[in-house]
Amino acid sequence: MILDMNKPHKQVKITDSVATNQLINIQLNSVVKTEVTMAGVGCTYADLKSRLLANSTSATGGKAKRENYLFSSTSVRSLLISCLLGIGLLTASCGSSPKESADAQSQSPGSKERGGATPVDVAIARTDLLEKQPEYTGNTTPFRIVSVRSQVEARLLALNLDVGDRVKLGQNVGQLDDAILLTQLKQAEAELAALKSEVARANNQVSNARAEVERARLEVVQAQADSQRQQNLFKAGAIAEQTAQQARTQAQTAAQALRAAQEQVRTEQQAVAAAQGRVLAQQALVAQTKERSSYARLTSPITGVVIEKVTEPGNLLQAGSEVLKIGDFNRVKVVVQVSELELAQIQVGQSVQVRLDAFPNEALAGTVTRISPAADATARLIPVEVVIPNAQAKIGSGLLARVNFENQTQQRVVVPQTAIQKQASSNNSKNTGKSSSPANAANTAGAENPAGTLFVVKDTEGKGKVAARAVTLGKRADGKVEILSGLRSGERYVVRSGQPLKDGDAVRLSIISETAEVGPKGN
């Protein structure tokens, strides 16, 4: 007993069970033969159905009642449906090769509309340098480092600063024991006072000598007058010759005394000059002692930052002992070792780019201030000094710096070479309106006319579409190419596409595409 599918819950009786089993076996054999035949010749579903009907009719001897019973059977019908589905899949796979199927799908009209937008990888145009210059590394150091040293032998009493403290020019940073220095100063000042008294005595002697000269001069005048009168009287015969001779001798003696007095004045004046010289020397000694006593107060010679503390209070310092190191950080310098092959491209005063790992997002501008005339004989490297402004005092000492000596060339838009489509001739472009795949972009590199085409992505009515854009190409390096004109920074362009594109095609951005806002519009 089986169920009649056309009449639910109604049992149909099959009178001849043997005939029914034979019919089922015949149908199965027919299905197996049909699958083998279709695998070789690619038959259709209609052929299968006709074969099944023919086999069914021959097996039942033309009895319509057996045929109805067969197709109304649930088990047979399920088996036949499974066989038909397998035969349909086998027919689809046997009817055409995978390559032919893909070609038919891509060449069939309206296939893109049925399949949706073309997936593409999109990037944003940016300006960059095509060829990167080598970077040289070095360490930042203060523009100058000055040591604060003791200029006298004394004990360090106090040190007012520590590492990292900022100081100004002339600021007091420490104090030495100045007791001995003050004693020396007082001694020098006392000696100076004694010398000044000597000068005063010498000046008094000069005054006395001058008075003696004046007296002698008067005596000479009187003696000469007396001698003249005596001579006149002698000639008149009024006096004896001896008296006249005595008057003349007295005049000569007075003149001699005058000359001696004048010589004494000169001697006393020389003594005064010597005493004054000793006073000046002592005054210099006093000034020196005062200066030495001022050395007990340690002051900063520059404006900067304390970078090292060498000694501690309480230590006995010798003349020249180092106390502190102060660095001038208004500017910092970096010394890099440059190859002799790059030396011809570097000159004093050249601007360079400096990057610090401590501030990776900041680009600093430096200047070449010195190129060493001596190179390392082994490594053939030449020290080059670069100075960087540091007005905000952000840059410290010992930071890793990367110096780039690249020329100040104009940055242009740089895109991957795969984004450039092979530029077809003008006639072909007008007739077909198609461009070749990115695989042919390498052929453009050797073209005489450095031009190409790429596709720019634009949003039209909320949907992404591409627009063909003619661009002028520049230099190529490392799989990238410069765009001299035709594409501006910020615009989105297609790097790769799943299939050839045409102007106006709808596209779908892949997950690796850059999705920033569209840059400047226009061609």
Side-chain angles (χ1 to χ4, degrees):
M1 301 292 290
I2 63 175
L3 294 177
D4 189 352
M5 299 301 297
N6 294 328
K7 296 180 180 180
H9 307 290
K10 183 178 181 180
Q11 295 181 348
V12 179
K13 182 183 290 186
I14 299 178
T15 58
D16 192 351
S17 59
V18 177
T20 301
N21 292 333
Q22 292 179 355
L23 179 59
I24 292 173
N25 292 331
I26 292 173
Q27 296 297 333
L28 292 177
N29 292 334
S30 176
V31 169
V32 172
K33 293 180 181 180
T34 302
E35 290 178 352
V36 174
T37 304
M38 292 178 65
V41 299
C43 59
T44 62
Y45 174 75
D47 296 333
L48 174 63
K49 185 177 181 179
S50 62
R51 288 173 178 267
L52 288 175
L53 292 176
N55 292 336
S56 167
T57 304
S58 61
T60 57
K63 293 182 180 180
K65 186 175 181 180
R66 293 286 181 88
E67 184 176 358
N68 292 333
Y69 286 164
L70 172 65
F71 285 100
S72 64
S73 174
T74 302
S75 60
V76 175
R77 178 174 296 180
S78 301
L79 179 61
L80 288 180
I81 291 174
S82 301
C83 294
L84 292 176
L85 290 175
I87 293 171
L89 294 175
L90 181 62
T91 304
S93 62
C94 295
S96 60
S97 63
K99 181 177 181 181
E100 293 174 351
S101 299
D103 293 341
Q105 183 180 0
S106 61
Q107 295 176 1
S108 61
S111 61
K112 183 177 294 187
E113 288 74 1
R114 293 192 303 268
T118 303
V120 294
D121 295 341
V122 175
I124 299 175
R126 295 183 176 88
T127 57
D128 197 0
L129 292 175
L130 188 62
E131 297 180 357
K132 300 293 185 181
Q133 297 293 331
E135 288 185 340
Y136 298 91
T137 58
N139 296 323
T140 60
T141 57
F143 181 71
R144 55 176 175 167
I145 299 177
V146 179
S147 296
V148 178
R149 298 177 181 270
S150 173
Q151 295 179 276
V152 294
E153 181 180 355
R155 188 177 302 278
L156 181 62
L157 298 180
L159 195 58
N160 305 328
L161 298 176
D162 208 338
V163 176
D165 293 340
R166 298 184 180 276
V167 295
K168 295 182 179 181
L169 176 64
Q171 178 179 341
N172 185 21
V173 298
Q175 181 66 41
L176 300 178
D177 186 4
D178 58 350
I180 297 177
L181 297 176
L182 292 177
T183 301
Q184 293 175 352
L185 176 59
K186 292 179 180 180
Q187 181 180 357
E189 289 177 345
E191 292 178 359
L192 177 60
L195 291 174
K196 287 183 177 180
S197 65
E198 290 182 4
V199 171
R201 288 194 299 268
N203 287 329
N204 189 28
Q205 293 294 333
V206 170
S207 299
N208 295 335
R210 287 176 177 174
E212 185 66 24
V213 167
E214 184 63 21
R215 185 183 63 82
R217 186 181 65 81
L218 294 176
E219 289 180 356
V220 167
V221 172
Q222 184 62 38
Q224 288 177 351
D226 292 343
S227 175
Q228 184 64 32
R229 285 192 302 270
Q230 294 295 331
Q231 290 296 329
N232 292 335
L233 291 173
F234 172 71
K235 290 178 182 180
I239 61 174
E241 181 181 3
Q242 182 180 3
T243 303
Q245 290 291 338
Q246 289 178 350
R248 187 167 54 248
T249 302
Q250 291 177 356
Q252 292 176 352
T253 302
Q256 185 66 30
L258 176 60
R259 286 193 294 270
Q262 291 176 345
E263 186 65 26
Q264 183 65 29
V265 169
R266 285 192 291 269
T267 301
E268 295 296 336
Q269 287 179 340
Q270 290 175 356
V272 170
Q276 289 177 344
R278 288 192 296 273
V279 169
L280 293 177
Q282 189 63 28
Q283 286 177 340
L285 181 60
V286 170
Q288 180 181 359
T289 307
K290 286 183 178 180
E291 182 67 20
R292 287 173 59 83
S293 65
S294 69
Y295 293 161
R297 188 173 63 93
L298 301 177
T299 58
S300 174
I302 61 172
T303 299
V305 179
V306 178
I307 60 176
E308 185 177 353
K309 185 178 180 181
V310 181
T311 188
E312 294 292 339
N315 290 332
L316 179 63
L317 303 180
Q318 301 295 326
S321 297
E322 191 174 25
V323 180
L324 295 174
K325 285 185 178 179
I326 300 177
D328 182 5
F329 284 92
N330 287 330
R331 291 176 291 174
V332 294
K333 63 182 179 181
V334 179
V335 178
V336 295
Q337 305 294 327
V338 178
S339 171
E340 62 180 357
L341 302 179
E342 302 290 338
L343 185 60
Q345 302 177 4
I346 303 174
Q347 57 185 354
V348 176
Q350 174 182 345
S351 296
V352 298
Q353 294 183 358
V354 182
R355 293 189 303 106
L356 301 177
D357 288 2
F359 307 100
N361 298 326
E362 296 184 14
L364 306 175
T367 305
V368 177
T369 57
R370 185 177 294 107
I371 300 176
S372 175
D376 189 333
T378 302
R380 306 298 180 187
L381 298 178
I382 301 165
V384 176
E385 182 179 295
V386 176
V387 174
I388 309 169
N390 189 27
Q392 299 180 354
K394 291 172 41 179
I395 305 174
S397 178
L399 303 181
L400 180 62
R402 304 178 186 274
V403 180
N404 194 327
F405 293 94
E406 65 184 8
N407 298 326
Q408 301 299 320
T409 56
Q410 180 182 3
Q411 291 189 350
R412 302 184 183 277
V413 175
V414 177
V415 301
Q417 198 163 339
T418 55
I420 304 300
Q421 311 294 319
K422 180 179 179 182
Q423 187 176 23
S425 61
S426 58
N427 294 335
N428 293 339
S429 298
K430 293 180 180 179
N431 294 336
T432 62
K434 296 181 179 180
S435 60
S436 62
S437 63
N440 296 324
N443 298 332
T444 311
E448 295 181 358
N449 183 17
T453 302
L454 54 75
F455 289 96
V456 178
V457 179
K458 295 185 176 181
D459 291 332
T460 303
E461 297 179 355
K463 298 181 179 179
K465 292 187 177 182
V466 294
R469 180 80 62 82
V471 294
T472 303
L473 307 180
K475 298 178 181 179
R476 295 173 173 80
D478 300 332
K480 296 182 180 180
V481 59
E482 287 182 343
I483 303 298
L484 304 182
S485 62
L487 183 66
R488 289 181 290 182
S489 176
E491 292 185 299
R492 295 188 299 176
Y493 63 93
V494 176
V495 179
R496 285 174 295 272
S497 62
Q499 60 185 8
L501 298 174
K502 294 187 301 181
D503 190 11
D505 283 354
V507 294
R508 174 170 48 86
L509 274 62
S510 65
I511 59 174
I512 64 174
S513 298
E514 298 184 24
T515 57
E517 295 181 358
V518 181
K521 296 181 180 180
N523 297 332

